[in-house]
Amino acid sequence: MNKTQLTMFELAGLTNDKNLVPFLFLFFFVVYVVTILGNVGMMAIIQVFSSLHTPMYFFLNYLSLVDLLYSSTITPKILADLVSLKKSISFTGCAFQVYFYAALAGVEVVLLSSMSYDRYAAICHPLRYALIMTKPKCTGLVLLSFAVGFLQSAAQTSCLFSLEYCGSNFIEHFYCEIPPVLKLSCSKTHQCDIVTFFFVGTLGICSCLAMLVSYTLIISAILRMKSVHVRLKAFNTCSSHLICSSMYFLTIFFIYLRSDTRVLSKQDKVASIFYSVITPMLNPIIYSLRNQEVKRLVLQSVKKCC
């Protein structure tokens, strides 16, 4: 039974220094605009150009969608709080924010591991690639990513907001995240700690293992290639995915898989900003800058528009 007595949470926000507010607002506004333009642009390019209708770009299209939605669950609230005198969020609003950011984070984790499998099939089995990565299989992997992400989020959110909150309503963070919200509960949180640790650990470790196995086989295949040019080309197709995955997983593990996840430091807040705001902006930039085909099509589109 939901015994919650609070109807509103107060957020700490990013800073109490009024001199920093204009700079932070401009910074996050620019980041959010670039995130929207980058991810929408990436999806548009993939949809328009038939040469990009391949499994790799099929996954990248959904990764851009997830990044766009993921950033939109947090960044607009940050911008609103920076210009508001009172930084607050309703109990229901907090529950929705936790649910959607946890769900989309889970979707992104599974999508990244699916993309590593796609790269393994492309490099290690190039002649059978079309038979391995069929459209039904790609669609199934995307549907699995969304199913896993939203189901695990439902379990975490229902556990978190079924607790009793009868004391302070001050969240020591700039948005509703599971560790600082758990800190406010009057109930015993051991069960929710286990649920959060289980899902974050299971998703993270399984995805990391899948990528580790995939890239071990990929590197082994690349080293057997005789041509240096072919080696570089094969490595370039994987480097963008490796960079994006590493940034995301390192910050997620730093926040959640520690001895006491309910005690947040300034470093935790910086890590939260990085994986919730900065990473969704960087992903399309990294993929476009390190991909010759995407750069060529972008330049081609710009020339046509001009």
Side-chain angles (χ1 to χ4, degrees):
M1 183 180 295
N2 191 337
K3 299 179 181 179
T4 304
Q5 298 176 7
L6 298 178
T7 58
M8 192 76 67
F9 288 109
E10 300 291 331
L11 297 168
L14 286 169
T15 182
N16 293 321
D17 189 348
K18 292 183 179 179
N19 295 324
L20 285 175
V21 169
F23 167 75
L24 290 174
F25 183 87
L26 180 63
F27 172 75
F28 282 101
F29 179 76
V30 171
V31 167
Y32 188 51
V33 170
V34 173
T35 301
I36 294 172
L37 293 177
N39 286 291
V40 171
M42 181 65 75
M43 289 187 287
I45 290 170
I46 292 171
Q47 293 297 323
V48 169
F49 294 100
S50 58
S51 61
L52 299 183
H53 293 175
T54 62
M56 181 177 75
Y57 294 103
F58 179 80
F59 290 118
L60 185 55
N61 180 60
Y62 283 98
L63 182 66
S64 295
L65 175 63
V66 170
D67 281 334
L68 179 62
L69 296 174
Y70 188 45
S71 178
S72 297
T73 61
I74 295 170
T75 311
K77 179 59 179 171
I78 294 175
L79 292 171
D81 286 342
L82 284 171
V83 296
S84 301
L85 295 175
K86 191 175 182 180
K87 303 174 181 64
S88 61
I89 186 170
S90 67
F91 182 84
T92 305
C94 186
F96 273 109
Q97 191 175 57
V98 169
Y99 176 72
F100 282 107
Y101 101 78
L104 294 166
V107 174
E108 182 146 348
V109 166
V110 183
L111 266 180
L112 288 171
S113 59
S114 299
M115 292 172 75
S116 69
Y117 173 71
D118 171 67
R119 291 299 83 208
Y120 156 75
I123 293 173
C124 297
H125 303 284
L127 299 178
R128 297 175 53 216
Y129 179 62
L131 296 175
I132 296 173
M133 300 304 296
T134 60
K135 190 170 183 179
K137 179 179 283 188
C138 294
T139 304
L141 288 171
V142 169
L143 291 175
L144 177 65
S145 302
F146 278 87
V148 170
F150 280 87
L151 286 174
Q152 61 85 27
S153 179
Q156 292 191 69
T157 307
S158 60
C159 181
L160 178 64
F161 289 94
S162 63
L163 298 174
E164 184 178 357
Y165 295 89
C166 54
S168 172
N169 69 336
F170 185 74
I171 299 175
E172 189 60 45
H173 211 0
F174 54 88
Y175 68 97
C176 287
E177 193 171 19
I178 293 173
V181 174
L182 268 177
K183 186 180 178 181
L184 302 180
S185 176
C186 303
S187 309
K188 292 182 180 180
T189 61
H190 181 66
Q191 185 177 357
C192 283
D193 287 330
I194 293 174
V195 170
T196 300
F197 188 86
F198 171 77
F199 282 112
V200 174
T202 302
L203 276 177
I205 292 171
C206 288
S207 296
C208 283
L209 283 175
M211 285 190 282
L212 181 63
V213 171
S214 296
Y215 278 106
T216 300
L217 296 171
I218 287 170
I219 292 170
S220 176
I222 290 174
L223 292 176
R224 291 197 300 268
M225 296 175 181
K226 295 180 180 180
S227 172
V228 176
H229 174 73
V230 175
R231 285 184 186 179
L232 290 174
K233 186 177 179 181
F235 181 75
N236 282 334
T237 62
C238 304
S239 57
S240 301
H241 179 260
L242 272 174
I243 294 169
C244 294
S245 300
S246 300
M247 290 191 305
Y248 193 74
F249 280 108
L250 287 174
T251 50
I252 288 285
F253 286 154
F254 180 79
I255 291 289
Y256 285 93
L257 301 184
R258 296 183 296 130
S259 57
D260 189 356
T261 58
R262 292 181 297 169
V263 180
L264 265 74
S265 63
K266 290 181 179 179
Q267 290 81 3
D268 295 323
K269 290 185 179 181
V270 172
S272 296
I273 290 172
F274 197 82
Y275 79 76
S276 62
V277 179
I278 305 298
T279 301
M281 177 193 69
L282 291 178
N283 282 349
I285 295 174
I286 292 171
Y287 273 102
S288 59
L289 289 179
R290 297 190 63 86
N291 190 300
Q292 297 299 325
E293 179 69 8
V294 173
K295 284 195 288 186
R296 183 183 67 81
L297 293 173
V298 169
L299 291 173
Q300 180 182 325
S301 301
V302 171
K303 287 178 181 178
K304 284 183 179 181
C305 291
C306 293

